[in-house]
Amino acid sequence: MAIEKEYPMTKEGKLKLEQELEQLKTVKRKEVVERIKIARSFGDLSENSEYDSAKEEQAFVEGRITTIENMIRNAKIIEESNDSNTDTVALGKSVTFVELPNGDEETYSIVGSVEADPFEGKISNDSPIAKSLIGKRVGDKVSIMTPGGEMSVKIVSIS
C-alpha cells in the first residue's frame, strides 16, 4: 500500500475543511442532483447541454469531497508552541522581513499547502519564500529565488 501524503494544517484550517465538506455533502450534492433531474426532463440526453453541465459539476463535487476527506484523514495538526521559541522560522510561525535594498516590510504566516492564501498573508511551506526562510533566524539575510527573479530579505521578527 502506498504511503499517504501528510497535510500539515492548523486546527482552524482543518475546521474550515470540515465545514466545506459538510456544505458539499449536505447542500451542493442535493443541488446538483436536482439540476440533473431537471435536465433529464428536457428529453434527449445526447444533445442536452444542461445535463452534460450538471454531470460535470457532479463529478467536480464528488472529486472535491474525496480530496477533502483524504486531506482530513491525513491531516497533521501544526501545534502552536506555548514556549517562547521564536528563534527560528518554522511551519506555523509568522515571519516579518524587509526586502533589501528598498525596505518594503512584509509579514507572512507559514502554513501547510492546504491553508495557503497569500492574500491573507498565509504562504505554503512548499513555496519558494517559505522554503528559503524556514530554519533562519532574526537578523539573517536570505536570498530567495522566486519565479520573478532573486529577492534579498532581512528577517525582522518571528512570532
Side-chain angles (χ1 to χ4, degrees):
M1 189 166 135
I3 297 174
E4 296 276 349
K5 178 183 176 188
E6 282 188 343
Y7 295 93
M9 63 183 77
T10 61
K11 289 177 186 173
E12 294 81 24
K14 185 176 180 188
L15 180 62
K16 278 185 180 179
L17 280 179
E18 289 168 344
Q19 290 169 344
E20 181 183 351
L21 181 62
E22 185 67 21
Q23 170 77 8
L24 288 170
K25 284 182 166 182
T26 59
V27 177
K28 198 66 175 168
R29 245 185 196 163
K30 290 177 183 174
E31 289 174 0
V32 172
V33 168
E34 189 59 33
R35 278 189 59 207
I36 291 171
K37 278 185 197 175
I38 292 169
R40 276 191 170 161
S41 71
F42 295 153
D44 183 11
L45 298 181
S46 65
E47 295 182 18
N48 188 331
S49 63
E50 288 87 1
Y51 178 78
D52 292 340
S53 172
K55 289 299 279 183
E56 285 175 13
E57 185 177 2
Q58 182 183 40
F60 174 80
V61 167
E62 294 304 322
R64 182 69 180 150
I65 287 171
T66 301
T67 299
I68 292 173
E69 287 174 338
N70 184 47
M71 287 191 281
I72 291 171
R73 185 174 49 253
N74 296 300
K76 180 180 180 218
I77 302 300
I78 302 166
E79 295 297 329
E80 295 179 22
S81 57
N82 294 331
D83 63 12
S84 58
N85 181 10
T86 55
D87 292 349
T88 59
V89 179
L91 186 61
K93 295 194 177 178
S94 292
V95 60
T96 302
F97 57 83
V98 176
E99 256 185 83
L100 300 173
N102 62 4
D104 290 341
E105 190 173 279
E106 299 178 39
T107 300
Y108 291 105
S109 294
I110 300 177
V111 297
S113 58
V114 172
E115 292 181 80
D117 185 350
F119 297 111
E120 288 188 19
K122 297 178 179 181
I123 59 172
S124 167
N125 60 320
D126 293 329
S127 71
I129 293 174
K131 282 182 176 179
S132 298
L133 293 174
I134 289 176
K136 303 296 190 275
R137 298 175 178 277
V138 172
D140 285 355
K141 291 181 182 172
V142 183
S143 288
I144 302 170
M145 285 307 297
T146 66
E150 189 172 0
M151 173 172 90
S152 294
V153 301
K154 180 178 179 185
I155 299 173
V156 176
S157 68
I158 302 167
S159 58

